[in-house]
């Protein structure tokens, strides 16, 4: 059986109608009635509550059904966080669900062709592969199976998958966070004891200053733009720190455009100026902040002139930012996913945490840090790590799995999300092609399908 291959361009073309509809009725701050479904309610048989899993926002939705078929999806106006907003990604669900290119049944590779098989046969095949590994390598099976964890999924199914693999003795689970928000989570856990954000989205309404570090909200999380709009209406100053020109900048009071990867130097420059001018919260630091002397030493050389040389930001802008931070008694920093993807990401985020700490802006109303990570209860993998028995890792670094694939030590790979999320995609693809058997849980004949033996 032959299937058309769907590449990224085809995927975008398939979703064009939905994207157009989404852009025609933007979800930025509109009232719920303006965002409601365009499909007449009287023509639908029923309406079902659901949610979109295409990003961390996890917008709750309402799905209209007619004759057993989904006819419309729109945002739930009762959602406190989104107020019924929804972006084009979620709007595309109807088109993707009924796409003529969608795979509807398990497919087993037979040479250059694909054979349709039953779900029971597919599951039996995977189970037998797992048992074969344990039979062939009774003393050395644990790292011969690896899972690329789902990029977006319900919390319950993720826990079920991880529990099943751990109970079977296979710990190698590659979290999407390794290439996404893992560095932010690690830095938060290192400095604050937990990977959770110490504030919530609605607290920006109580702040005086919000700094968006690489957080391109308008394009990544459009439903959350309503909170920035409401904050501006209340007089909150919003500074966008990003080397790119994006729609988010249009909603901010000002934008600073540092050289990519130099955000940490900019923050250390702020810390240097605050300490030099004695404009940090000395009492709070003395009572609650560890390592202040080491921080001061680290920031001592980051003068405005040096920071300007590193970041390519004019000295006047650096001094102006320091003044705004000093004048604000309540500030929130929103860390975007892009900050997590620099080679110096952990130290950059540690510097941001330190800046908030010495100005007494880590906790309290209108204060804190936000890092949208995973969109799940407990924040990413944190909840699951507490759930698992101590001493058993909840995930393994992808780099170790990549090494094992290159050494032909992995016999079965469960590919539940795109390998294209990692840098050097061709290198990853070549490594996956060395695995004996690859199971892909997907919906289209895309790049992942090309390297797989079984699609479920």
């Amino acid at each position: 059986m032959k299937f058309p291959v769907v590449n990224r361009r085809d995927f975008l073309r398939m979703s064009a109608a939905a994207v157009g509809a989404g852009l025609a009725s933007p979800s930025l701050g509109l009232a719920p009635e303006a965002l409601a479904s365009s499909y007449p309610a009287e023509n639908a048989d029923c309406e079902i509550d659901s949610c979109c899993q295409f990003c961390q926002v996890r917008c709750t939705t309402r799905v209209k059904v007619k004759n057993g078929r989904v006819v419309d999806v729109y945002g739930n106006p009762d959602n406190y966080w989104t107020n019924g907003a929804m972006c084009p990604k979620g709007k595309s669900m109807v088109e993707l669900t009924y796409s003529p290119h969608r795979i509807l049944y398990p497919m087993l590779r037979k040479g250059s062709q694909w054979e349709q098989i039953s779900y029971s046969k597919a599951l039996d095949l995977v189970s037998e592969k797992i048992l074969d590994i344990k039979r062939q390598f009774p003393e050395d099976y644990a790292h011969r199976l690896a899972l690329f964890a789902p990029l977006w999924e319900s919390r319950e199914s993720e826990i079920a998958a991880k529990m099943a693999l751990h109970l079977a003795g296979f710990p190698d689970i590659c979290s999407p966070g390794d290439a996404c928000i893992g560095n932010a989570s690690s830095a938060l856990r290192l400095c604050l004891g937990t990977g959770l954000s110490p504030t919530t989205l609605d607290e920006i309404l109580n702040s005086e200053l919000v700094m968006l570090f690489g957080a391109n909200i308008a394009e990544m999380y459009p439903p959350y733009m309503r909170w920035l709009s409401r904050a501006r209406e209340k007089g909150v100053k919003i500074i966008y720190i990003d080397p790119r020109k994006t729609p988010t900048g249009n909603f901010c009071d000002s934008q600073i455009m540092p050289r990519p990867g130099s955000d940490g130097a900019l923050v250390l420059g702020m810390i240097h100026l605050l300490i030099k001018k004695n404009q940090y919260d000395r009492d709070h630091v003395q009572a609650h902040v560890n390592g202040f002397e080491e921080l001061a030493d680290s920031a001592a050389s980051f003068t405005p002139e040096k920071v300007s040389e590193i970041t390519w930001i004019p000295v006047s802008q650096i001094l102006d930012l320091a003044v705004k931070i000093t004048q604000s008694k309540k500030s929130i920093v929103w860390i975007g996913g892009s900050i997590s993807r620099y080679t110096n990401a952990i130290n950059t985020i540690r510097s941001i945490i330190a800046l908030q700490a010495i100005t007494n802006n880590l906790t309290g109303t209108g204060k804190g840090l936000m890092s949208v990570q995973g969109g799940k209860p407990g924040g990413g993998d944190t909840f699951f790590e507490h759930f698992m028995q101590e001493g058993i890792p909840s995930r393994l670094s992808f780099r170790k799995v990549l090494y094992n694939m290159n050494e032909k030590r992995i016999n079965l790979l469960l590919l539940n999300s795109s390998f294209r999320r990692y840098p050097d995609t061709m290198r990853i693809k070549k490594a996956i092609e060395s695995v004996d058997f690859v199971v892909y849980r997907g919906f289209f004949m895309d790049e992942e399908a090309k390297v797989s033996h079984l699609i479920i």
Side-chain angles (χ1 to χ4, degrees):
M1 183 177 295
K2 291 186 177 181
F3 284 86
V5 174
V6 179
N7 57 31
R8 296 184 188 184
R9 183 170 297 177
D10 295 328
F11 183 88
L12 292 172
R13 194 176 291 127
M14 286 154 51
S15 304
V19 172
L23 293 177
S25 57
S27 56
L28 307 180
L30 297 181
E33 57 270 18
L35 302 168
S37 168
S38 59
Y39 190 88
E42 60 273 13
N43 292 344
D45 296 331
C46 63
E47 191 170 276
I48 301 169
D49 287 335
S50 185
C51 73
C52 174
Q53 297 182 0
F54 283 170
C55 86
Q56 294 101 323
V57 175
R58 297 291 169 89
C59 298
T60 53
T61 62
R62 288 182 177 169
V63 181
K64 289 188 175 181
V65 179
K66 178 71 174 180
N67 296 327
R69 184 181 177 91
V70 175
V71 293
D72 194 18
V73 177
Y74 69 100
N76 188 337
D78 295 331
N79 186 314
Y80 170 72
W81 303 104
T82 65
N83 197 37
M86 196 174 179
C87 83
K89 295 191 293 267
K91 286 287 187 181
S92 72
M93 283 192 285
V94 178
E95 283 73 24
L96 294 177
T97 298
Y98 298 110
S99 167
H101 302 296
R102 181 181 168 187
I103 301 172
L104 301 178
Y105 307 97
M107 306 300 298
L108 179 64
R109 185 185 294 277
K110 294 290 186 179
S112 61
Q113 302 294 314
W114 290 92
E115 175 188 340
Q116 178 181 317
I117 63 175
S118 66
Y119 278 99
S120 59
K121 183 176 180 179
L123 293 175
D124 288 344
L125 179 59
V126 176
S127 299
E128 191 59 32
K129 292 287 183 183
I130 294 174
L131 293 174
D132 279 345
I133 291 174
K134 304 191 82 167
R135 283 191 289 261
Q136 291 180 42
F137 309 96
E139 304 298 328
D140 181 32
Y141 64 80
H143 301 290
R144 293 185 175 274
L145 180 152
L147 165 71
F148 279 25
L151 191 56
W152 310 119
E153 188 57 277
S154 67
R155 188 63 186 152
E156 292 78 7
S157 66
E158 288 188 350
I159 291 178
K162 292 178 180 181
M163 286 180 63
L165 287 185
H166 278 290
L167 290 171
F170 299 104
D172 294 0
I173 301 171
C174 298
S175 167
D178 284 351
C180 182
I181 47 77
N183 287 322
S185 180
S186 297
L188 286 167
R189 191 175 293 113
L190 180 66
C191 295
L192 304 180
T194 175
L196 304 180
S197 301
T199 191
T200 53
L201 181 62
D202 51 355
E203 281 295 337
I204 68 174
L205 302 182
N206 301 319
S207 184
E208 296 178 10
L209 174 66
V210 173
M211 290 181 282
L212 307 177
F213 272 88
N216 180 14
I217 311 302
E219 292 184 312
M220 295 304 297
Y221 314 119
Y224 283 169
M225 285 301 294
R226 62 186 290 265
W227 292 98
L228 292 183
S229 296
R230 291 178 62 187
R232 283 201 64 186
E233 291 172 0
K234 292 191 65 175
V236 178
K237 298 297 181 184
I238 303 174
I239 300 175
Y240 184 37
I241 303 171
D242 197 313
R244 306 160 296 179
K245 281 285 188 182
T246 74
T248 299
N250 297 331
F251 284 80
C252 301
D253 294 277
S254 60
Q255 178 174 357
I256 296 175
M257 304 177 71
R259 181 164 65 96
S262 66
D263 302 74
L266 176 61
V267 177
L268 286 171
M270 296 300 103
I271 293 172
H272 166 84
L273 288 170
L274 291 175
I275 294 175
K276 180 180 179 181
K277 297 182 178 182
N278 197 25
Q279 292 176 327
Y280 64 98
D281 192 324
R282 297 177 64 88
D283 293 338
H284 178 77
V285 166
Q286 187 173 0
H288 301 291
V289 178
N290 296 323
F292 176 76
E293 291 76 14
E294 292 86 346
L295 174 66
D297 290 341
S298 298
S301 63
F302 285 85
T303 63
E305 291 73 22
K306 179 179 179 178
V307 172
S308 177
E309 180 182 345
I310 295 172
T311 63
W312 301 347
I313 299 172
V315 170
S316 59
Q317 280 193 11
I318 295 169
L319 296 174
D320 181 62
L321 177 60
V323 169
K324 290 176 179 176
I325 292 173
T326 301
Q327 292 176 341
S328 171
K329 302 302 180 185
K330 296 180 179 180
S331 72
I332 288 177
V333 172
W334 193 332
I335 302 172
S338 56
I339 298 295
S340 272
R341 292 161 195 160
Y342 292 138
T343 55
N344 61 353
I346 289 182
N347 280 336
T348 294
I349 295 167
R350 288 177 67 190
S351 299
I352 293 173
I353 295 171
L355 175 64
Q356 291 296 87
I358 68 172
T359 56
N360 190 13
N361 275 301
L362 269 182
T363 59
T365 182
K367 304 178 179 182
L369 292 158
M370 285 197 299
S371 173
V372 181
Q373 47 171 316
K376 307 155 196 155
D381 285 324
T382 305
F383 176 81
F384 184 75
E385 287 170 0
H386 290 304
F387 178 85
M388 291 302 300
Q389 177 183 352
E390 281 190 30
I392 302 178
S394 69
R395 65 187 184 190
L396 183 76
S397 167
F398 170 75
R399 288 176 290 278
K400 295 179 181 178
V401 171
L402 176 62
Y403 176 80
N404 285 337
M405 287 193 294
N406 284 325
E407 294 295 313
K408 301 186 185 303
R409 295 176 184 171
I410 294 183
N411 301 87
L412 178 61
L413 176 64
L414 304 177
L415 188 58
N416 279 261
S417 58
S418 173
F419 65 80
R420 289 167 283 156
R421 70 190 185 209
Y422 294 105
D424 198 352
T425 298
M426 297 308 295
R427 177 181 60 129
I428 310 301
K429 179 182 178 182
K430 183 178 180 181
I432 292 175
E433 289 173 342
S434 69
V435 176
D436 294 342
F437 199 79
V438 179
V439 181
Y440 176 44
R441 193 191 66 169
F443 301 95
F444 297 95
M445 281 293 169
D446 50 23
E447 285 88 339
E448 282 66 39
K450 293 178 183 178
V451 298
S452 303
H453 303 88
L454 173 65
I455 303 173
I456 297 182

